[in-house]
Coordinates of all heavy atoms in Angstrom, one line a residue:
A280 N 0.8 -1.2 0.0 CA 0.0 0.0 0.0 C 0.9 1.3 0.0 O 0.6 2.2 -0.7 CB -0.9 0.0 1.2
T281 N 1.9 1.3 0.8 CA 2.7 2.5 0.9 C 3.6 2.7 -0.3 O 3.7 3.8 -0.8 CB 3.7 2.3 2.1 OG1 2.9 2.0 3.3 CG2 4.4 3.6 2.4
T282 N 4.1 1.6 -0.9 CA 4.8 1.7 -2.2 C 3.9 2.2 -3.3 O 4.3 3.1 -4.1 CB 5.3 0.3 -2.6 OG1 6.3 -0.2 -1.6 CG2 6.1 0.4 -3.9
A283 N 2.7 1.7 -3.3 CA 1.7 2.2 -4.3 C 1.4 3.7 -4.1 O 1.3 4.4 -5.1 CB 0.4 1.3 -4.3
A284 N 1.2 4.1 -2.9 CA 0.9 5.5 -2.6 C 2.1 6.4 -2.9 O 1.9 7.5 -3.5 CB 0.6 5.6 -1.1
A285 N 3.3 5.9 -2.6 CA 4.5 6.7 -3.0 C 4.6 6.8 -4.5 O 5.0 7.9 -5.0 CB 5.7 6.1 -2.4
A286 N 4.3 5.7 -5.2 CA 4.4 5.8 -6.7 C 3.4 6.7 -7.3 O 3.7 7.4 -8.2 CB 4.3 4.3 -7.2
A287 N 2.2 6.6 -6.7 CA 1.1 7.5 -7.2 C 1.4 9.0 -7.0 O 1.1 9.8 -7.8 CB -0.2 7.1 -6.6
T288 N 2.0 9.2 -5.8 CA 2.4 10.6 -5.4 C 3.5 11.1 -6.4 O 3.4 12.2 -6.9 CB 2.9 10.6 -4.0 OG1 1.8 10.2 -3.1 CG2 3.4 12.0 -3.6
A289 N 4.5 10.3 -6.7 CA 5.5 10.7 -7.6 C 5.0 10.9 -9.0 O 5.4 11.9 -9.6 CB 6.6 9.6 -7.6
E290 N 4.1 10.0 -9.4 CA 3.5 10.2 -10.7 C 2.7 11.5 -10.8 O 2.8 12.2 -11.8 CB 2.6 9.0 -11.0 CG 2.0 9.0 -12.4 CD 1.1 7.8 -12.7 OE1 1.1 6.9 -11.9 OE2 0.4 7.8 -13.7
A291 N 1.9 11.8 -9.8 CA 1.1 13.0 -9.8 C 2.0 14.2 -9.8 O 1.7 15.2 -10.5 CB 0.2 13.0 -8.5
A292 N 3.1 14.2 -9.0 CA 4.0 15.3 -9.0 C 4.7 15.6 -10.4 O 4.8 16.7 -10.8 CB 5.1 15.1 -7.9
T293 N 5.0 14.5 -11.0 CA 5.6 14.6 -12.4 C 4.6 15.2 -13.4 O 4.9 16.0 -14.2 CB 6.1 13.2 -12.9 OG1 7.1 12.7 -11.9 CG2 6.7 13.3 -14.3
A294 N 3.4 14.7 -13.3 CA 2.3 15.2 -14.2 C 2.1 16.6 -13.9 O 1.9 17.4 -14.9 CB 1.0 14.4 -14.0
A295 N 2.0 17.1 -12.7 CA 1.8 18.5 -12.3 C 2.9 19.4 -12.9 O 2.7 20.4 -13.4 CB 1.7 18.7 -10.8
A296 N 4.2 18.9 -12.7 CA 5.3 19.7 -13.2 C 5.3 19.8 -14.7 O 5.5 20.8 -15.3 CB 6.6 19.0 -12.8
T297 N 4.9 18.7 -15.4 CA 4.8 18.7 -16.9 C 3.7 19.6 -17.3 O 3.9 20.4 -18.3 CB 4.5 17.3 -17.4 OG1 5.6 16.4 -17.0 CG2 4.4 17.3 -18.9
A298 N 2.5 19.6 -16.6 CA 1.4 20.5 -17.0 C 1.8 21.9 -16.8 O 1.5 22.8 -17.6 CB 0.2 20.1 -16.1
A299 N 2.5 22.2 -15.7 CA 2.9 23.6 -15.4 C 3.9 24.1 -16.5 O 3.8 25.2 -17.0 CB 3.6 23.7 -14.1
A300 N 4.8 23.2 -16.9 CA 5.8 23.6 -18.0 C 5.1 23.8 -19.3 O 5.4 24.8 -20.0 CB 6.8 22.5 -18.1
T301 N 4.1 22.9 -19.6 CA 3.3 23.1 -20.8 C 2.5 24.4 -20.8 O 2.4 25.1 -21.8 CB 2.4 21.9 -21.0 OG1 3.2 20.7 -21.0 CG2 1.6 22.0 -22.3
A302 N 1.9 24.7 -19.7 CA 1.1 25.9 -19.6 C 2.0 27.1 -19.8 O 1.6 28.1 -20.5 CB 0.4 25.9 -18.3
A303 N 3.2 27.1 -19.2 CA 4.1 28.3 -19.3 C 4.5 28.5 -20.8 O 4.6 29.6 -21.3 CB 5.3 28.0 -18.4
T304 N 4.7 27.4 -21.5 CA 5.1 27.5 -22.9 C 3.9 28.0 -23.7 O 4.1 28.8 -24.6 CB 5.6 26.1 -23.4 OG1 6.6 25.6 -22.6 CG2 6.0 26.2 -24.9
A305 N 2.7 27.5 -23.4 CA 1.6 27.8 -24.2 C 1.3 29.3 -24.1 O 0.8 30.0 -25.0 CB 0.3 27.1 -23.7

């Protein structure tokens, strides 16, 4: 459970960073 939560958290953080970078470029 903890490994899955940590993985989901890392994935969400990466997606948020990518979205922010994309928005800044747009």
